[in-house]
Amino acid sequence: QISAVVSISAYSAISYAPMAYKDMVLPCARLMAEQLVWTKEGYLNVKNMLEDITTEPGINACIQVEKAQCPILFVAGQDDINIPCVYHANKAIARMKAHGKTNYTLLTYPGT
């Protein structure tokens, strides 16, 4: 039994590769290479590389947080250039709220 979950700067969907779980293989959201952007500092910005998780087929990759019985703590940097983690935390929380769940906390940090 899981007592608690902490999600730190994470997507709210399975990404990069499908995930095996028990006797299932859960789909992943596709990465959209055409969304890669080089910053003026010479870094690769991958922030918008994950396909839209609010519509098909991306929505099938969403982690089913609404089934969680334990508390979930979402920790997200407001200025993360790799993952839009505040957006994803809010998407996960919206799924929980839509199912009447209140077992979540969101902490966001500016400058990170």
Side-chain angles (χ1 to χ4, degrees):
Q1 181 176 347
I2 297 172
S3 299
V5 172
V6 178
S7 171
I8 302 173
S9 297
Y11 290 118
S12 60
I14 299 167
S15 54
Y16 301 106
M19 183 174 79
Y21 175 72
K22 295 185 180 180
D23 61 345
M24 302 178 288
V25 176
L26 305 172
C28 66
R30 294 175 298 175
L31 301 178
M32 313 302 279
E34 64 275 8
Q35 300 296 334
L36 293 172
V37 176
W38 288 99
T39 67
K40 63 182 178 184
E41 296 85 8
Y43 297 106
L44 192 56
N45 183 332
V46 298
K47 188 172 185 173
N48 297 311
M49 200 167 125
L50 198 66
E51 76 178 324
D52 183 2
I53 60 160
T54 62
T55 60
E56 294 285 342
I59 198 166
N60 297 320
C62 287
I63 298 167
Q64 297 177 0
V65 292
E66 65 273 13
K67 292 184 177 182
Q69 299 298 314
C70 66
I72 302 176
L73 172 62
F74 297 94
V75 181
Q78 294 173 359
D79 301 306
D80 192 318
I81 64 167
N82 291 308
I83 297 174
C85 46
V86 173
Y87 168 84
H88 281 278
N90 283 321
K91 287 295 179 189
I93 289 168
R95 288 175 67 99
M96 295 178 81
K97 285 181 178 179
H99 288 85
K101 298 286 188 159
T102 59
N103 53 322
Y104 58 85
T105 301
L106 171 61
L107 301 176
T108 63
Y109 295 92
T112 59

